[in-house]
Amino acid sequence: GEDVEQSLFLSVREGDSSVINCTYTDSSSTYLYWYKQEPGAGLQLLTYIFSNMDMKQDQRLTVLLNKKDKHLSLRIADTQTGDSAIYFCAESKGNTDKLIFGTGTRLQVFP
Amino acid sequence: EAQVTQNPRYLITVTGKKLTVTCSQNMNHEYMSWYRQDPGLGLRQIYYSMNVEVTDKGDVPEGYKVSRKEKRNFPLILESPSPNQTSLYFCASSPGRTGQPQHFGDGTRLSIL
């Protein structure tokens, strides 16, 4: 079946690293994505990783993929108050463009 | 500027009064999709379209219709809205090639009384 799970909340202190976790069930997923949603706004693509990769780094963002455990994580280094938002992981289905989203993790950054 | 534009951004209406939410993209994308976002449920796909005149149901299509007469437009139609369709709606588009990320509009918040 199709299921993408995330924890609902994460609270971190400014300057610390944040790690947002995601698990998925569909082993045929080809791409996995992280989107950011700020209040009142749409979804902004942060980064994505192809399923044959283990890691992708883009400035403060590091994505780790454990395909065996179907576990995806997003690490934000030096977290800032502007990083406060809801973060969604999503998987794409095989050769289609259909996205299956997780429930979203609300990241709160406090001073 | 490349974008996906939805209108209206906010709408409060009553049960049974037909409404249409428009979606337009200027990127010549083939794939377009509608999602609804509800607390604790993430985003769920309502309908999608692989190209002009090609549409198909997503995971939660009941109570909705769509059309794709032109490549750039993909309106979402609620023929007889009900309170359980109160939600935040997003339109998205992508080139249609596997792995190309979807671009999202800013969302439409619908309240059905």
Side-chain angles (χ1 to χ4, degrees), chain B residues 34-36 44-47 57-64:
Chain B
W34 276 103
Y35 298 86
R36 60 179 287 173
R44 294 177 293 167
Q45 190 181 53
I46 302 170
Y47 268 95
K57 295 178 181 179
D59 297 315
V60 287
E62 294 78 21
Y64 304 94

Side-chain angles (χ1 to χ4, degrees), chain B residues 7-73:
Chain B
N7 278 297
R9 293 290 314 278
Y10 304 92
L11 179 64
I12 302 173
T13 187
V14 296
T15 299
K17 186 176 180 183
K18 181 180 177 179
L19 67 92
T20 299
V21 185
T22 63
C23 174
S24 180
Q25 50 92 6
N26 62 359
M27 296 167 278
N28 201 36
H29 284 168
E30 292 185 354
Y31 183 92
M32 297 186 75
S33 182
W34 276 103
Y35 298 86
R36 60 179 287 173
Q37 182 182 3
D38 300 290
L41 297 176
L43 278 80
R44 294 177 293 167
Q45 190 181 53
I46 302 170
Y47 268 95
Y48 65 96
S49 169
M50 302 288 283
N51 213 326
V52 176
E53 301 291 3
V54 180
T55 64
D56 212 342
K57 295 178 181 179
D59 297 315
V60 287
E62 294 78 21
Y64 304 94
K65 286 173 59 177
V66 292
S67 70
R68 188 90 181 275
K69 293 185 172 60
E70 307 160 287
K71 200 170 190 179
R72 63 182 293 128
N73 296 322

Side-chain angles (χ1 to χ4, degrees), chain A:
Chain A
E2 305 170 347
D3 203 6
V4 180
E5 294 187 353
Q6 303 176 238
S7 53
L8 290 180
F9 299 103
L10 177 64
S11 183
V12 299
R13 188 179 299 277
E14 190 174 19
D16 287 351
S17 293
S18 308
V19 179
I20 303 171
N21 294 302
C22 172
T23 57
Y24 60 99
T25 56
D26 190 346
S27 58
S28 70
S29 297
T30 49
Y31 285 87
L32 295 122
Y33 304 85
W34 284 103
Y35 283 88
K36 176 184 181 182
Q37 184 183 31
E38 298 185 35
L43 275 73
Q44 171 197 353
L45 177 72
L46 285 179
T47 186
Y48 63 103
I49 188 169
F50 187 47
S51 58
N52 69 353
M53 296 170 64
D54 298 324
M55 186 184 89
K56 181 178 180 182
Q57 186 155 2
D58 183 3
Q59 299 181 335
R60 291 192 297 124
L61 305 178
T62 303
V63 178
L64 294 177
L65 175 61
N66 181 329
K67 199 170 181 184
K68 174 175 167 288
D69 294 338
K70 299 188 184 70
H71 182 265
L72 181 74
S73 68
L74 173 70
R75 179 177 181 268
I76 306 173
D78 187 25
T79 313
Q80 302 298 307
T81 54
D83 295 323
S84 295
I86 301 175
Y87 291 80
F88 291 94
C89 69
E91 57 173 348
S92 67
K93 290 279 294 177
N95 291 324
T96 73
D97 274 11
K98 180 176 179 178
L99 289 179
I100 307 297
F101 282 87
T103 52
T105 299
R106 184 179 293 275
L107 174 65
Q108 183 176 7
V109 183
F110 58 93

